[in-house]
């Protein structure tokens, strides 16, 4: 089974950041239940989360935004 999702961005301010955190929590709850009935699950889509600095067009300018998984990963 495949779940393809577009996650909200949290980079445009605190209100949007907290909305994104709520979305991520709700999505985690949804997936935790879904995986019980669909154990072979692929999750893909636009997660609006960067794992490394090379994953975004302006890593320095967006360092304080909520797009980074690890803000301290530079290199």
């Amino acid at each position: 089974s495949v779940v393809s999702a577009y996650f909200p961005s949290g980079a445009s301010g605190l209100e949007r950041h907290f909305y994104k955190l709520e979305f991520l929590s709700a999505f985690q709850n949804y997936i935790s239940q879904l995986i019980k009935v669909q154990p072979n699950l692929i999750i893909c889509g636009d997660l609006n989360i960067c794992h490394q600095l090379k994953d975004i067009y302006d890593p320095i300018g967006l360092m304080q935004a909520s797009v980074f998984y690890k803000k301290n990963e530079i290199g």
Side-chain angles (χ1 to χ4, degrees):
S1 296
V2 176
V3 173
S4 181
Y6 179 83
F7 286 38
S9 172
S12 62
L14 279 179
E15 183 177 336
R16 194 69 180 162
H17 174 74
F18 289 122
Y19 173 78
K20 180 176 184 170
L21 293 178
E22 289 176 15
F23 178 90
L24 291 173
S25 178
F27 188 77
Q28 176 64 49
N29 291 336
Y30 170 72
I31 293 300
S32 294
Q33 296 303 312
L34 183 60
I35 206 162
K36 293 176 184 176
V37 294
Q38 298 290 338
N40 297 318
L41 189 61
I42 297 170
I43 301 169
C44 59
D46 185 348
L47 306 183
N48 275 312
I49 297 173
C50 293
H51 178 67
Q52 297 179 352
L53 293 177
K54 66 183 179 182
D55 296 330
I56 195 160
Y57 71 96
D58 183 9
I60 302 304
L62 294 169
M63 184 59 69
Q64 297 304 316
S66 64
V67 296
F68 284 98
Y69 177 68
K70 297 178 183 177
K71 288 186 179 182
N72 61 351
E73 186 174 308
I74 298 176

